[in-house]
């Protein structure tokens, strides 16, 4: 007896392509991964560039000083800006603040905006005007050697997108042109109806420039009345001391006790009021 077995038809092995939405989703996923990798690499390069820019940073050179006719001291120097990174720095703005030894601000300056290419540097002139006459912290620069805290802020855009800020602090030695200024008035002496006092002026020129001119002064009584006047002639090289005494005739009945000595440093270019000195 013969048995027969039915043969089933063969199944098709042809694969259908994925749906269009699925393919789009896969493409977006790949693109997103690639974009993320590029962003990470870009952020890493920006971070590296920021570190190199901060390392090159800004350098403030020596500060020179000159006096202006309006009773101010002008501090001048050169601020070198460097960009050691691989991206340009755009819109770089610089703010500089100088304080005295007590931490009181005596001068500020603002520079920019400046653009710096990758690997570039630029020297920018810097000027700060400090009032050294009248009241305030500035006059202490005339009579006190001190260390001046200097703070430099920088703000810019790095890598076309990222804002960056830099901060640099340093201290600069300041040599006062009339360091340890002192004026003393001696005891009155009378001769032939004229009362005379000996006035002594002393100081140390610790500035980087010489002093050539005159120092006219007035002796004022406690009530502000003028008792007498005189003048010192100065020609003091940098780093040198000065001490001179001149006689002054006092006005009749005028006592300098409890008053002050008011003086100014006068040159061909400017007149610089000096801090008043009390008379004990």
């Amino acid at each position: 007896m013969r048995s027969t077995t039915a043969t089933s038809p063969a199944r098709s092995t042809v694969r259908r392509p994925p749906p269009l939405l699925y393919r789009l989703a896969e493409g977006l996923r790949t693109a997103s991964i690639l974009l993320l990798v590029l962003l990470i690499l870009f952020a890493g390069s920006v971070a590296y560039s920021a570190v190199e820019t901060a390392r090159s940073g800004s350098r403030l050179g020596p500060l020179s000083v000159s006096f202006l006719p309006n009773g101010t001291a002008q501090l001048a120097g050169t601020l070198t800006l460097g960009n050691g990174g691989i991206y340009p720095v755009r819109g770089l703005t610089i703010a500089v603040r100088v304080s005295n030894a007590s931490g009181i601000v005596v001068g500020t300056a603002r520079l920019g905006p400046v653009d710096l290419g990758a690997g570039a540097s630029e020297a920018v002139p810097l000027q700060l005007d400090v009032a050294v006459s009248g009241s305030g912290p500035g006059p202490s620069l005339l009579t006190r050697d001190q260390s001046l805290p200097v703070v430099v802020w920088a703000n810019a855009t790095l890598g076309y997108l990222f804002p960056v800020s830099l901060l640099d602090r340093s201290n600069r030695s300041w040599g006062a042109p009339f360091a340890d200024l002192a004026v003393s008035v001696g005891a009155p002496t009378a001769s032939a109806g004229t009362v005379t006092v000996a006035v002594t002026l002393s100081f140390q020129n610790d500035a980087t420039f010489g002093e050539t001119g005159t120092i006219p002064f007035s002796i004022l009584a406690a009530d502000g009345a003028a008792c007498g006047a005189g003048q010192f002639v100065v020609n003091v090289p940098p780093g040198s001391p000065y001490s001179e005494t001149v006689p002054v005739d006092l006005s009749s009945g005028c006592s300098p006790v409890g008053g002050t000595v008011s003086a100014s440093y006068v040159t061909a270019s400017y007149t610089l009021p000096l801090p008043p000195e009390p008379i004990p």
Side-chain angles (χ1 to χ4, degrees):
M1 189 173 179
R2 179 182 293 177
S3 62
T4 61
T5 303
T7 304
S8 60
R11 293 183 179 179
S12 174
T13 59
V14 178
R15 299 183 59 184
R16 294 181 180 181
L20 177 61
L21 290 178
Y22 178 82
R23 283 179 287 164
L24 288 176
E26 284 293 317
L28 289 174
R29 186 182 309 161
T30 303
S32 298
I33 294 174
L34 179 60
L35 179 61
L36 178 61
V37 172
L38 292 176
L39 287 176
I40 292 174
L41 292 176
F42 177 64
S45 65
V46 169
Y48 167 80
S49 188
V51 170
E52 292 301 312
T53 300
R55 184 175 297 171
S56 53
S58 61
R59 298 183 301 277
L60 181 60
L63 293 175
S64 62
V65 59
S66 59
F67 293 102
L68 306 179
N70 59 355
T72 62
Q74 187 173 85
L75 308 182
T78 300
L79 186 64
T80 302
L81 309 175
N83 177 17
I86 59 177
Y87 292 106
V89 172
R90 304 293 185 189
L92 177 63
T93 58
I94 304 292
V96 182
R97 184 187 71 194
V98 178
S99 305
N100 64 8
S102 301
I104 302 175
V105 177
V106 296
T108 61
R110 187 171 295 272
L111 305 172
V114 178
D115 293 337
L116 288 175
S121 64
E122 183 172 347
V124 180
L126 173 69
Q127 291 183 343
L128 298 95
D129 291 341
V130 181
V132 292
S133 61
S135 59
S140 68
L141 299 180
L142 296 178
T143 59
R144 287 178 52 201
D145 294 340
Q146 50 195 294
S147 179
L148 304 181
V150 179
V151 181
V152 179
W153 290 274
N155 294 290
T157 300
L158 182 65
Y160 308 99
L161 295 175
F162 296 91
V164 293
S165 297
L166 301 176
L167 176 64
D168 179 70
R169 298 178 183 271
S170 61
N171 291 297
R172 299 303 173 99
S173 296
W174 171 266
F178 301 97
D180 302 321
L181 177 70
V183 180
S184 63
V185 177
T189 60
S191 176
T194 301
V195 178
T196 303
V197 292
V199 180
T200 301
L201 171 70
S202 63
F203 62 86
Q204 172 85 17
N205 179 12
D206 288 334
T208 57
F209 53 88
E211 296 165 341
T212 303
T214 60
I215 299 181
F217 63 91
S218 297
I219 299 175
L220 305 178
D223 60 0
C227 288
Q231 178 175 278
F232 295 96
V233 177
V234 295
N235 185 7
V236 189
S240 300
Y242 177 88
S243 180
E244 293 292 338
T245 301
V246 297
V248 175
D249 294 338
L250 297 181
S251 301
S252 177
C254 191
S255 173
V257 177
T260 58
V261 175
S262 177
S264 297
Y265 173 54
V266 179
T267 72
S269 303
Y270 60 86
T271 296
L272 183 65
L274 299 176
E277 288 291 308
I279 303 173

